[in-house]
Amino acid sequence: MQKIIILDFGSQTTQLIGRRVRELNTFCEILPYNKFPQDDPDVIGVILSGSPFSVYDPEAFKIDLSTLRGRYPILGICYGAQFMSHSLGGKVEPAPSREYGRQFLSTIDTANPLFAGFEKGSQVWMSHGDTITALPAGFQCIASTDTVHYAAYQATGEALWGVQFHPEVFHSTQGSLLLRNFVVGICGSHQDWSAASFVDTTVQELRQQLGDDRVILGLSGGVDSSVAAVLLNRAIGDRLTCIFVDHGLLRKNEFQDVLHDYECLGLNVRGVDASAKFFADLAGVTDPEQKRKIIGRDFVEVFNEEARKVEGARWLAQGTIYPDRIESLNITGKVIKSHHNVGGLPKEMNLQLCEPLKWLFKDEVRRVGRQLGMPEHLITRHPFPGPSLAVRILGEITPERVRILQDADDIYIRALRQYKVRLSGDEARRVLAAGVPAQMTDGEIEVSLYDQVWQAGVILLATVRSVGVMGDERTYEHPVALRAVTSTDAMTADWAHLPYDFLASVSNDIINHVRGVNRVCYDISSKPPATIEWE
Ligand code: XMP
């Protein structure tokens, strides 16, 4: 299978480059900058990503370009472009002021294959502190903005290009065209990577890999483990046993609803109600990390007990997806999000790991789910933390507090699903790229607020009481905070600008219908410096 290799020099947008390449129905792998697979016959081109470093930083990542030049078409983006120019004899210097934000290509060589179909004035997104001030001998400038002369270059007569802007971000309005020109026009991609081809080849591979073996999979109700289960079920049928643990901390009616969905999908699934154990072990615990530890430990215990009952199981399947693995491989060494596996399985079971979605991005997982005929509400479900509502109740967790939060959350999520908005421009493109099924008409799409936001939920401030008045009586009850964020990867997020009339009506509904809540706030913090969850 043809593939593009993206060498990661540590930029925040490297994953986005990967997603854009996949949107061109072309397989790609993101690898640490120094891990190029020298003997892979399927490689058709190489992209060098941006980086947090300047080429002059002593710790800047460097590679030997002679191992790539002449063997593959190369495209350097931002640092990638500066690094190539700098190492091949050009000049890179600190820009007089940081070149950041929207700019417009005032001159473009549209005869150059990288810019085929570009329009003069095309908007691009810059984000760098250094700039190229002279190109190496034999290189030519092929695009400029008013302030960045060498916005793009090519080594004349050679399949080597550099762009100082970021074609992968939405604000570069013809960025996808540039990547198409490189991946399809220059590298010759056949564009045959699709959800349908993924399902076909993966089902074949799983049958070969698993033979007649039995497989266990832990379902969470989330999209990744659900799609992994349906894919495995397609490959090996009832030899897959799914285990779905109810810790009592899921959303209102979620355990029964999702279990029913799974059964309708033909999965061989065991639902285990372990809520009493979790509530008993969480009693009196207020520290968030302690809550997480207890839930993690109890989950492993319950899961293992069930797993032991599956006779002859040889494999443990997981819905690990590509970003989970890229994050854990992050070359700058910073752990941004820890990866939540079913840890500590009993050694005597001697299970091997099977991760059929390990190459997919989230939006691709959703497309595969649709290809497999899964219901839309399972596919477009928001991410939900493993410890569930436990980290959305500040303070001690009790069944009554979970009930209050479930009721408030249910009102909020239903309302988000019902309220429709029309989106255009970058906002519409962001939502479509996340895999939301909407049709663009006259440059606009109509989606629910639920689909517009990345994640939403309610937080019960159980450690706080606020005074209120209902009828003739004073009340002294808990406030709740509503949270809704937009994001593409959960690493950064902005608070969603939900309409005032929507917030007003949800606030009314919650206060009028949920006993125990007398005040509703809306969280307007972005990440960073806040996080998505409160605990
Ligand atoms: P934060 O709060 O760190 O969340 O901005 C980023 C994303 O991760 C989810 N999250 C968790 N997921 N176990 C999980 O499985 C956890 O302990 C956990 N904490 C946060 C969060 O919901 C968001 O999607």
Side-chain angles (χ1 to χ4, degrees), residues 20 24 75 114 118 122-124 165-182 429:
R20 297 287 165 265
L24 296 166
L75 172 66
L114 194 66
F118 260 65
S122 188
Q123 176 181 300
V124 293
F165 55 89
H166 285 272
E168 70 278 18
V169 307
F170 283 117
H171 306 289
S172 292
T173 43
Q174 291 192 292
S176 295
L177 176 62
L178 185 142
L179 290 171
R180 172 187 291 276
N181 287 340
F182 180 70
R429 284 190 283 152

Side-chain angles (χ1 to χ4, degrees), residues 480-535:
V480 293
L482 310 182
R483 184 83 164 125
V485 294
T486 54
S487 176
T488 48
D489 52 16
M491 286 197 269
T492 60
D494 194 9
W495 61 277
H497 295 209
L498 298 181
Y500 280 1
D501 62 331
F502 170 82
L503 289 170
S505 120
V506 169
S507 164
N508 255 337
D509 282 351
I510 291 178
I511 293 173
N512 287 337
H513 295 111
V514 183
R515 278 196 30 227
V517 175
N518 65 353
R519 197 174 288 267
V520 174
C521 313
Y522 187 53
D523 180 349
I524 54 165
S525 333
S526 61
K527 171 184 179 176
T531 51
I532 296 176
E533 304 295 343
W534 277 43
E535 283 201 330

Side-chain angles (χ1 to χ4, degrees), residues 288-289 292 336-340 382-388 391-392 454-455 483 485 489-493 527 530-535:
E289 282 315 302
R292 281 190 166 82
I336 297 162
K337 186 171 94 184
S338 49
H339 181 27
H340 311 278
H382 286 168
F384 191 58
S388 309
V391 288
R392 293 189 183 164
W454 163 269
Q455 190 169 1
R483 184 83 164 125
V485 294
D489 52 16
M491 286 197 269
T492 60
K527 171 184 179 176
T531 51
I532 296 176
E533 304 295 343
W534 277 43
E535 283 201 330

Side-chain angles (χ1 to χ4, degrees), residues 120-273:
K120 192 161 183 274
S122 188
Q123 176 181 300
V124 293
W125 187 261
M126 298 278 179
S127 176
H128 47 252
D130 289 347
T131 194
I132 298 172
T133 51
L135 289 176
F139 280 39
Q140 65 193 100
C141 177
I142 54 173
S144 309
T145 72
D146 286 345
T147 47
V148 181
H149 182 61
Y150 299 112
Y153 66 73
Q154 181 183 5
T156 310
E158 191 182 328
L160 183 151
W161 287 263
V163 292
Q164 290 206 83
F165 55 89
H166 285 272
E168 70 278 18
V169 307
F170 283 117
H171 306 289
S172 292
T173 43
Q174 291 192 292
S176 295
L177 176 62
L178 185 142
L179 290 171
R180 172 187 291 276
N181 287 340
F182 180 70
V183 169
V184 183
I186 293 168
C187 300
S189 162
H190 302 323
Q191 296 191 280
D192 48 11
W193 166 261
S194 67
S197 70
F198 173 83
V199 170
D200 287 348
T201 45
T202 311
V203 164
Q204 295 304 329
E205 281 167 14
L206 286 170
R207 284 185 184 145
Q208 272 190 356
Q209 180 187 23
L210 304 171
D212 292 330
D213 290 350
R214 290 196 167 276
V215 179
I216 305 174
L217 179 143
L219 284 170
S220 67
V223 60
D224 302 343
S225 63
S226 305
V227 172
V230 177
L231 193 57
L232 274 152
N233 179 259
R234 170 90 50 110
I236 62 164
D238 273 358
R239 275 180 285 120
L240 169 72
T241 303
C242 303
I243 298 169
F244 184 25
V245 177
D246 182 8
H247 42 34
L249 302 160
L250 293 170
R251 291 191 147 125
K252 188 170 179 174
N253 300 328
E254 189 169 19
F255 184 67
Q256 296 79 352
D257 291 351
V258 175
L259 196 57
H260 178 71
D261 284 335
Y262 286 149
E263 283 162 357
C264 292
L265 284 164
L267 296 181
N268 168 15
V269 54
R270 299 183 183 178
V272 189
D273 177 2

